[in-house]
């Protein structure tokens, strides 16, 4: 484990290693002389780059670094950097990681989803060993918070019993990166029973419910009465564009002296904090409540130090590891027919398939993209022109061709070039948008070949992420990437902001 970008990248073995390491770090906090025994390296450098406010995460990363005897450099607010002079984030982080001046570890908090993953890739491209830690990216992820939450839970429940716990979430689940990271972590650890209490406007996205077998989801705080752990979450006011919607959610779910005894006496009540004054989720006088469920939010926050000490330590030890991720579009065109071009095109002429005519079967090399939905041909043509430039000229779209299967279809003809078949980004894009029906016809080297497109697994570069707050919408060097997580449902996930979208919502850049 070099970088910590998202809980979804971690294995249970890696999580257990962090938990064991954090226990050790707790011993070092109690007895700093133990650090010497760990063969402490010479002053590694940690940069904390926070463009969103933070009390706990920045404070505990800073304290964790200090206790490890690491050098630390803290930058708070974009206005403290040349981002405020319209420098790109890519150039900014290159500088933070540059030779001699740069950091060994860069912990980054930002309101733009996907920034930590983009940062990791930018540093990889410059062959830089700097480890990247996500300290919270917009509404996406807060993985170190989830890890300190687990460390906190392990103080009350044995690890082997965690899968049998009932865990409840309350508040703004749609915009809470803590809820998102915690749920991914609990699913990985085998938790089955979850309770989700929120107003409909702040419901959790479907993907975070996947894998749990007993889910109760509603607007009734009493639903949390069988929970062993209750995690209360702040309304993320800053992420609501619509102030009316925001006001309907604020103060809706609160744990107060009147309702705290609804919950199991042995339950623990967690909150990542901040717990806002007046309309916070936990009535502040309950911080010291000792006649029922325990509110452990402050102890939880304090656990950030040993957990983040371990994360910094491990990231530094493993900083030279190369990141192992695939970075190309993946799609497999499947050949379904092959024969002599001359013979084949003779047959096509008999069927009056006139669009084959410009391609000479003896000397030509061209292709036809067939069975595109009516009206989509010109979109595909412009995608090809933008991607391949003059190489694919001449190119034409024939609209509204009769089709026995689809009624009407569009057909795109490239007269002199078959390079689309070698361009995985194009093939994956066409396959995602129209795959099931699209066929490719090629004429080359006197042969005719017909292909169908199987669903792509990764689609890069040519389609925009619909999330306006995704890093790929802001950084000129960011190349989009989607995973075709549920080909049968037509749902894709952005590799950066980790949001899911119907594939029909993805439009060419
Ligand atoms: N829990 C948490 O992330 O708090 P801060 O925003 O204060 O860092």
């Amino acid at each position: 484990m070099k970088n910590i970008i998202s809980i979804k990248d971690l294995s249970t073995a890696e999580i257990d290693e962090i938990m064991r390491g954090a226990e050790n770090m707790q011993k070092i906090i109690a007895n700093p002389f133990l650090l010497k025994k760990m063969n402490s390296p010479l002053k590694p450098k940690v940069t904390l780059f926070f463009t969103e406010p933070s009390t706990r995460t920045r404070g505990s990363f800073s304290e964790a670094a200090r206790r490890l005897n690491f050098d630390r450099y803290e930058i708070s607010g974009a206005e403290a950097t040349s981002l405020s002079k319209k420098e790109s984030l890519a150039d900014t982080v290159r500088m933070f990681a540059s030779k001699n001046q740069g950091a060994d570890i860069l912990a980054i908090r930002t309101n733009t989803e996907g920034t930590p993953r983009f940062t990791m890739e930018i540093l990889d491209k410059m062959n830089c060993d700097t480890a990247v830690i996500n300290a919270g990216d917009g509404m996406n992820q807060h993985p170190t918070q989830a890890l300190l939450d687990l460390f906190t839970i392990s103080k009350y429940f044995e690890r082997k019993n965690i899968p049998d716990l009932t865990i409840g979430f309350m508040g703004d689940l749609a915009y809470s990166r803590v809820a998102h990271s915690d749920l991914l972590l609990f699913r990985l650890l085998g938790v089955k029973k979850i309770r989700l209490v929120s107003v409909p406007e702040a419901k959790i996205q479907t993907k975070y419910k996947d894998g749990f077998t007993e889910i109760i989801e509603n607007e009734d705080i009493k639903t949390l009465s069988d929970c062993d752990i209750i995690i209360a979450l702040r309304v993320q006011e800053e992420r609501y564009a619509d102030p009316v919607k925001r006001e309907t959610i604020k103060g809706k779910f609160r744990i107060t002296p009147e309702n705290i005894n609804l919950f199991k006496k042995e339950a623990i009540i967690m909150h990542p904090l901040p717990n806002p004054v007046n309309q916070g989720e936990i009535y502040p006088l309950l911080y010291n409540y000792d006649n029922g469920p325990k509110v452990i939010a402050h102890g939880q926050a304090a656990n950030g130090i040993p957990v983040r000490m371990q994360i910094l330590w491990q990231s530094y030890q493993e900083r030279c590891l190369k990141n192992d991720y695939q970075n190309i579009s993946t799609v497999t065109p499947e050949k379904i027919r092959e024969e002599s071009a001359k013979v084949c095109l003779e047959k096509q002429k008999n069927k009056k398939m006139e669009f084959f005519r410009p391609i000479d079967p003896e000397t030509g090399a061209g292709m036809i993209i067939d069975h595109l939905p009516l009206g989509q041909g010109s979109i595909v043509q412009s995608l090809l022109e933008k991607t391949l430039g003059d190489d694919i000229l001449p190119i034409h779209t024939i609209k509204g061709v009769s089709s026995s299967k689809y009624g009407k279809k569009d057909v795109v003809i490239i007269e002199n070039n078959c390079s689309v078949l070698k361009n995985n980004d194009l093939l994956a894009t066409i396959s995602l948008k129209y795959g099931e029906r699209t066929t490719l016809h090629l004429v080359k080297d006197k042969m005719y070949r017909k292909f169908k497109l199987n669903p792509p697994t990764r689609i890069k570069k040519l389609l925009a992420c619909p999330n306006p707050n995704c890093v790929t919408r802001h950084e000129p060097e960011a190349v989009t990437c989607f995973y075709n997580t549920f080909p049968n449902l037509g749902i894709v996930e952005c590799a950066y902001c980790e949001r899911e979208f119907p594939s029909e919502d993805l439009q060419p850049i």
Side-chain angles (χ1 to χ4, degrees):
M1 182 218 75
K2 167 181 173 178
N3 308 288
I4 297 210
I5 305 295
S6 168
I7 290 291
K8 75 174 189 171
D9 302 334
L10 298 177
S11 65
T12 45
E14 286 169 323
I15 288 161
D16 287 339
E17 189 182 357
I18 294 169
M19 293 300 114
R20 278 195 305 274
E23 288 293 348
N24 257 340
M25 291 300 172
Q26 215 161 32
K27 290 181 192 145
I28 289 172
I29 292 171
N31 178 5
F33 288 106
L34 292 174
L35 184 64
K36 290 200 167 53
K37 290 195 184 150
M38 289 174 69
N39 189 20
S40 178
L42 275 179
K43 286 277 183 197
K45 280 189 273 184
V46 180
T47 292
L48 306 178
F49 177 44
F50 280 49
T51 59
E52 260 196 351
S54 167
T55 297
R56 276 146 291 273
T57 312
R58 201 189 68 200
S60 65
F61 264 121
S62 180
E63 182 58 13
R66 188 188 71 79
R67 284 176 184 268
L68 288 168
N69 205 21
F70 286 13
D71 266 344
R72 62 215 193 277
Y73 174 47
E74 296 182 36
I75 304 136
S76 294
E79 65 283 2
T81 69
S82 289
L83 282 169
S84 62
K85 299 179 215 160
K86 299 194 168 53
E87 183 167 53
S88 70
L89 178 99
D91 275 347
T92 306
V93 298
R94 275 188 195 105
M95 208 55 225
F96 287 155
S98 63
K99 221 177 162 93
N100 301 329
Q101 182 178 337
D104 297 299
I105 304 163
L106 175 61
I108 185 161
R109 169 171 288 195
T110 149
N111 69 353
T112 312
E113 288 125 28
T115 294
R117 194 173 299 281
F118 173 66
T119 298
M120 176 190 89
E121 291 176 2
I122 286 288
L123 301 188
D124 252 16
K125 278 187 201 145
M126 64 187 264
N127 251 336
C128 167
D129 287 336
T130 302
V132 178
I133 297 172
N134 181 357
D137 62 326
M139 59 175 272
N140 180 33
Q141 282 272 313
H142 196 351
T144 65
Q145 176 73 42
L147 292 165
L148 79 87
D149 287 353
L150 177 63
F151 188 68
T152 304
I153 289 168
S154 72
K155 303 285 171 205
Y156 295 87
F157 301 96
E158 279 189 55
R159 169 75 171 82
K160 69 176 181 349
N161 295 334
I162 288 178
D164 299 319
L165 298 176
T166 302
I167 305 183
F169 290 81
M170 179 196 96
D172 181 356
L173 311 187
Y175 290 92
S176 168
R177 55 193 174 205
V178 176
H180 301 163
S181 294
D182 279 355
L183 281 162
L184 290 183
L185 182 58
F186 295 147
R187 179 179 69 190
L188 187 66
L189 298 178
V191 172
K192 295 175 272 305
K193 292 177 277 184
I194 54 162
R195 312 285 179 251
L196 303 164
V197 174
S198 69
V199 292
E201 294 83 353
K203 267 176 76 168
I204 197 96
Q205 293 81 351
T206 309
K207 72 174 210 166
Y208 296 109
K209 294 187 272 185
D210 289 344
F212 297 101
T213 51
E214 193 192 299
I215 304 170
I216 303 179
E217 186 175 23
N218 59 33
E219 287 184 65
D220 186 356
I221 200 166
K222 291 195 202 84
T223 302
L224 304 173
S225 60
D226 70 342
C227 290
D228 303 295
I229 300 168
I230 295 160
I231 301 177
L233 298 158
R234 179 178 72 92
V235 176
Q236 304 280 305
E237 292 189 41
E238 64 278 26
R239 308 202 197 286
Y240 283 84
D242 176 357
V244 179
K245 197 168 157 187
R246 184 180 62 209
E247 291 308 311
T248 58
I249 299 168
K250 267 168 66 179
K252 182 97 183 163
F253 299 106
R254 303 194 75 203
I255 298 177
T256 63
E258 287 74 43
N259 68 15
I260 192 164
N261 287 318
L262 280 177
F263 311 128
K264 273 167 109 170
K265 205 168 166 29
E266 350 32 276
I268 53 170
I269 298 174
M270 300 173 68
H271 193 308
L273 304 175
N275 179 41
V277 176
N278 298 330
Q279 285 182 308
E281 294 68 35
I282 300 178
Y283 186 76
L285 290 179
L286 292 176
Y287 290 155
N288 300 314
Y289 189 65
D290 56 8
N291 196 24
K294 280 194 194 58
V295 176
I296 58 163
H298 293 100
Q300 178 187 353
N303 284 331
I305 296 173
V307 171
R308 289 177 173 128
M309 281 172 81
Q310 174 59 21
I311 287 169
L312 291 178
W313 179 264
Q314 222 174 306
S315 293
Y316 181 70
Q317 301 301 320
E318 295 173 20
R319 70 197 181 285
C320 295
L321 292 180
K322 290 294 154 218
N323 296 313
D324 177 24
Y325 56 87
Q326 295 292 321
N327 213 14
I328 48 166
S329 291
T330 35
V331 61
T332 42
E334 184 183 334
K335 191 161 61 182
I336 51 176
R337 203 165 130 200
E338 183 171 41
E339 63 185 309
S340 143
K342 197 171 170 192
V343 173
C344 172
L345 297 190
E346 277 304 318
K347 281 193 250 166
Q348 299 296 351
K349 266 185 200 156
N350 295 343
K351 284 201 227 161
K352 297 195 173 58
M353 301 273 279
E354 287 296 306
F355 42 82
F356 275 94
R357 199 164 39 151
I359 303 172
D360 187 309
E362 291 295 309
T363 58
M367 63 184 288
I368 290 150
I369 304 173
D370 197 3
H371 295 118
L372 293 168
L374 191 65
Q376 298 294 311
S378 51
I379 296 171
V380 171
Q381 177 173 339
S382 103
L383 186 68
L384 299 180
E385 286 169 346
K386 240 195 275 175
T387 311
L388 299 173
D390 289 351
D391 283 356
I392 49 158
L393 295 177
I395 179 168
H396 324 278
T397 295
I398 306 180
K399 292 182 185 161
V401 177
S402 291
S403 159
S404 51
K405 206 165 170 190
Y406 300 106
K408 294 277 180 199
K409 65 181 179 183
D410 283 1
V411 177
V412 172
I413 302 157
I414 306 157
E415 287 188 26
N416 293 315
N417 190 312
C418 296
S419 59
V420 171
L421 201 68
K422 288 194 203 131
N423 189 308
N424 271 16
D425 297 329
L426 272 171
L427 286 182
T429 301
I430 295 169
S431 167
L432 181 79
K433 299 290 281 178
Y434 323 111
E436 256 177 61
R437 49 182 291 165
T438 307
T439 44
L440 306 176
H441 307 267
L442 258 81
V443 169
K444 196 177 175 201
D445 302 332
K446 302 186 181 185
M447 294 300 288
Y448 163 82
R449 295 177 183 91
K450 181 175 177 179
F451 294 86
K452 71 171 184 162
L453 292 171
N454 290 319
T457 49
R458 194 182 308 111
I459 307 99
K460 282 191 68 91
K461 203 170 175 178
L462 304 176
L463 295 168
C465 179
N467 171 12
N469 204 35
C470 177
V471 69
T472 59
R473 298 281 295 266
H474 297 272
E475 282 295 307
E477 291 177 59
V479 172
T480 61
C481 177
F482 300 94
Y483 298 113
N484 197 12
T485 31
F486 299 106
N488 297 335
L489 300 179
I491 303 275
V492 294
E493 182 185 81
C494 173
Y496 294 92
C497 67
E498 301 187 20
R499 289 199 18 202
E500 286 184 345
F501 305 98
S503 49
E504 69 213 31
D505 288 0
L506 270 50
Q507 299 305 327
I509 287 170

